[in-house]
């Protein structure tokens, strides 16, 4: 859950993923993706005092959800640097570039560049260790600051299975149950604040299965492009029902009451539960009574975060998701200290290797070389801010 206040210190006239109180003094606005905790302040009465920039997919969601913002919304094309001027000071400009965040449909990271600073705001993201290589723009630049999705910056969540594997298991467990007959239904339990858009999409793609969603949560899905063909509002026609957590309350749901003669299999895709998961462990557990819990994350594991920081080497790091209690915060800070120390050591070693290599070349050339002549473009992170 994002705790970011929406402000980027180096660019005081923009707000990102927060649209309330002090943010409304900004003159340019940015939305990384359409999850509740990144849209705080957006509502059907709000008139934003500036343009709201987002991806094309997010723009479709936003326009349907908040028709009042239609005139404010501007689409940023992926990976295309766009120059934006501060409307209040026309000689002040920034260059913004979006990169896919691989978190949910339409989710992006933002690279903001001013005359002398380069800032990466990751929003929520899930990058496997190889995903970052698809976006050389992240590797070829020096970032002064990275605002990082630190949801799983914890020793408890060193690793998660690839999302493709989790989706494969969900499809398999669905298929083997619903093929028994029309009275066999699967219920997928979803966390309260978010949707499971990629699960809905995958079930349709792989099994041609339509999902139904409780009416009060429909808007989380309905406004995403492509989603409407994967959904049915007739619970009798759907083999899969997406249901918010606390399924024990199912008897209170009028819709599910109609289906009480059905046989249910319950799938619980979740990340929080999977402390200390490693790739020699199963991706799901059978909890009995046709209840299955599946390891599924659309945020980076600690291992993926380490890799991301090793590859990007920011000068300064700021965390977008902070625990509410001081003990967990301290643990997060300790974990981060270890990562940064490790990056610095690695950097030093690489520097030594580089000098060793150059020295060998210089021996052949018979010319001395000074250590200070070596220029390492990307500096290791200097400090963190909480
Ligand atoms: Zn999110």
């Amino acid at each position: 859950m994002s705790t970011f206040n929406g402000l980027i210190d180096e660019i005081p006239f923009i707000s990102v993923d927060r649209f309330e109180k002090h943010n409304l003094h900004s003159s340019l606005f940015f939305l990384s993706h359409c999850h509740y905790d990144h849209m705080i302040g957006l509502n059907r009465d709000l008139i934003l005092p500036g343009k709201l920039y987002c991806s094309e997919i997010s723009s479709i969601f936003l326009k349907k959800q908040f028709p009042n913002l239609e005139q404010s919304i501007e689409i940023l094309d992926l990976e295309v640097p766009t120059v934006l001027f501060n409307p209040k000071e026309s000689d002040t400009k920034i260059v913004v570039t979006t990169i896919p965040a691989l978190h949910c449909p339409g989710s992006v990271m933002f690279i903001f560049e001013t005359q002398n600073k380069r800032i990466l705001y990751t929003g929520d993201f899930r990058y496997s260790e190889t995903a970052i290589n698809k976006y050389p723009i992240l590797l070829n630049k020096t970032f002064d600051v990275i605002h990082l999705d630190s949801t799983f910056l914890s020793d408890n969540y060193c690793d998660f299975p690839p999302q493709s594997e989790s989706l494969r298991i969900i499809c398999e467990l669905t298929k083997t149950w619903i093929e028994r007959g029309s009275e066999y239904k699967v219920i997928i339990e979803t966390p309260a604040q978010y949707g499971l858009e990629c699960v809905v999409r995958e079930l349709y793609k792989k099994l041609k299965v339509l999902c139904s969603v409780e009416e009060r949560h429909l808007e989380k899905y309905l406004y995403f492009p492509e989603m409407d063909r994967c959904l049915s509002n007739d619970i009798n026609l759907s083999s899969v029902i997406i249901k918010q957590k606390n399924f024990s309350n199912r008897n209170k749901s009028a819709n599910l009451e109609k289906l009480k003669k059905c046989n249910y299999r319950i799938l619980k895709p979740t990340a929080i539960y999977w402390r200390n998961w490693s790739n020699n462990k199963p991706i799901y557990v059978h909890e009995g009574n046709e209840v299955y819990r599946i390891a599924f994350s659309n945020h980076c594991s600690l291992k993926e975060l380490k890799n991301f920081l090793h590859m990007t080497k920011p000068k300064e790091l700021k965390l977008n998701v902070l625990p509410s209690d001081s003990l967990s915060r301290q643990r997060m800070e300790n974990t981060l200290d270890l990562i940064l120390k490790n990056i610095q050591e690695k950097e030093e070693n690489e520097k030594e290797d580089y000098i060793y290599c150059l020295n060998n070349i210089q021996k052949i050339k018979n010319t001395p070389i000074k250590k200070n002549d070596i220029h390492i473009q990307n500096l290791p992170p200097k400090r963190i801010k909480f």
Side-chain angles (χ1 to χ4, degrees):
M1 180 77 84
S2 176
T3 52
F4 177 56
N5 70 3
L7 300 176
I8 306 274
D9 292 342
E10 296 75 11
I11 316 172
F13 57 94
I14 71 169
S15 274
V16 189
D17 284 356
R18 198 59 81 121
F19 310 92
E20 58 169 5
K21 300 172 189 166
H22 51 267
N23 304 113
L24 298 178
H25 299 302
S26 297
S27 34
L28 298 175
F29 298 85
F30 297 86
L31 179 75
S32 66
H33 67 292
C34 295
H35 278 164
Y36 159 78
D37 54 328
H38 292 255
M39 296 197 292
I40 290 173
L42 295 183
N43 60 58
R44 292 195 173 199
D45 298 319
L46 180 72
I47 306 291
L48 270 180
K51 294 288 182 192
L52 170 56
Y53 295 89
C54 60
S55 69
E56 187 176 5
I57 290 177
S58 293
S59 80
I60 296 168
F61 181 96
L62 279 179
K63 284 176 186 172
K64 289 187 176 169
Q65 176 89 325
F66 305 111
N68 49 313
L69 296 177
E70 175 139 17
Q71 299 304 317
S72 307
I73 293 166
E74 297 283 335
I75 296 168
L76 290 170
D77 291 328
L78 284 171
E79 297 178 67
V80 178
T82 306
V83 179
L84 300 175
F85 289 89
N86 177 0
K88 288 180 187 163
E89 289 174 37
S90 55
D91 55 341
T92 316
K93 63 178 181 182
I94 53 168
V95 180
V96 60
T97 311
T98 57
I99 316 288
L102 312 182
H103 169 70
C104 73
S107 61
V108 290
M109 301 182 183
F110 294 110
I111 297 174
F112 297 110
E113 291 171 278
T114 66
Q115 230 170 9
N116 49 19
K117 293 282 178 187
R118 184 176 292 119
I119 292 133
L120 172 65
Y121 174 86
T122 66
D124 289 347
F125 77 113
R126 172 90 199 261
Y127 268 28
S128 68
E129 288 183 87
T130 51
I132 193 170
N133 296 317
K134 288 186 207 155
Y135 308 108
I137 191 169
L138 291 171
L139 305 173
N140 300 335
K141 291 184 185 282
T142 304
F143 292 105
D144 295 289
V145 183
I146 290 185
H147 287 262
L148 186 77
D149 169 14
S150 47
T151 305
F152 291 115
L153 185 64
S154 158
D155 289 332
N156 294 325
Y157 298 101
C158 282
D159 208 357
F160 290 130
Q163 208 177 63
S164 56
E165 266 305 284
S166 306
L167 289 171
R168 189 183 65 75
I169 295 294
I170 291 171
C171 285
E172 204 175 289
L173 288 168
T174 301
K175 184 171 182 285
T176 52
W177 188 247
I178 63 173
E179 66 189 8
R180 293 183 185 199
S182 59
E183 70 277 23
Y184 287 81
K185 309 262 185 193
V186 167
I187 287 177
I188 299 183
E189 201 178 87
T190 172
Q193 302 88 351
Y194 314 116
L196 286 172
E197 306 87 2
C198 61
V199 173
V200 171
R201 214 165 42 179
E202 192 75 0
L203 284 167
Y204 181 77
K205 199 169 121 194
K206 293 279 159 62
L207 307 177
K208 290 285 170 282
V209 156
L210 296 176
C211 293
S212 91
V213 179
E214 289 174 294
E215 203 172 326
R216 65 199 168 110
H217 298 300
L218 206 55
E219 64 185 27
K220 284 182 198 162
Y221 298 88
L222 204 55
Y223 299 150
F224 279 114
E226 298 177 53
M227 256 327 133
D228 40 358
R229 68 189 173 121
C230 313
L231 294 168
S232 164
N233 53 10
D234 184 348
I235 205 163
N236 293 296
L237 289 179
S238 316
S239 306
V240 176
I241 299 148
I242 306 284
K243 174 93 175 66
Q244 196 179 320
K245 228 168 153 180
N246 301 323
F247 182 58
S248 55
N249 293 331
R250 65 188 181 277
N251 292 335
K252 292 177 188 165
S253 160
N255 271 339
L256 289 173
E257 190 67 15
K258 288 183 208 160
L259 297 174
K260 64 184 174 186
K261 287 182 187 154
C262 288
N263 303 300
Y264 295 108
R265 173 174 280 179
I266 299 169
L267 308 184
K268 298 178 175 180
T270 169
I272 297 275
Y273 173 87
W274 296 87
R275 283 168 170 253
N276 305 318
W277 186 85
S278 60
N279 63 9
N280 57 356
K281 292 184 178 170
I283 295 180
Y284 69 97
V285 287
H286 183 199
E287 296 187 327
N289 293 330
E290 291 305 329
V291 177
Y292 292 82
R293 204 178 273 274
I294 300 118
F296 175 88
S297 179
N298 49 17
H299 296 270
C300 285
S301 65
L302 180 65
K303 190 170 148 192
E304 289 163 339
L305 286 174
K306 278 182 187 171
N307 180 63
F308 187 80
L309 292 174
H310 270 280
M311 303 288 268
T312 50
K313 300 183 185 71
K315 290 182 186 174
E316 188 178 320
L317 194 60
K318 297 183 183 181
L319 305 181
N320 285 353
V321 185
L322 292 174
S324 51
D325 64 292
S326 54
L327 185 65
S328 308
R329 237 178 233 220
Q330 188 57 51
R331 280 196 193 128
M332 188 179 270
E333 197 173 343
N334 294 345
T335 305
L336 191 55
D337 279 347
L338 280 176
I339 297 173
L340 300 186
K341 200 169 155 223
N342 191 262
I343 291 174
Q344 275 167 335
E345 279 170 9
K346 199 166 171 237
E347 198 78 0
E348 285 299 318
N349 289 340
E350 278 169 11
K351 210 164 156 184
E352 292 300 323
D353 289 348
Y354 188 43
I355 293 167
Y356 175 77
C357 172
L358 277 177
N359 275 338
N360 280 347
I361 294 167
Q362 293 302 337
K363 268 183 203 165
I364 296 165
K365 287 188 176 176
N366 202 22
T367 317
I369 181 168
K370 293 178 205 153
K371 190 169 176 173
N372 290 343
D373 289 344
I374 311 293
H375 176 65
I376 304 289
Q377 195 194 14
N378 283 332
L379 295 170
K382 284 200 298 202
R383 63 194 170 99
I384 54 163
K385 274 190 180 175
F386 283 97

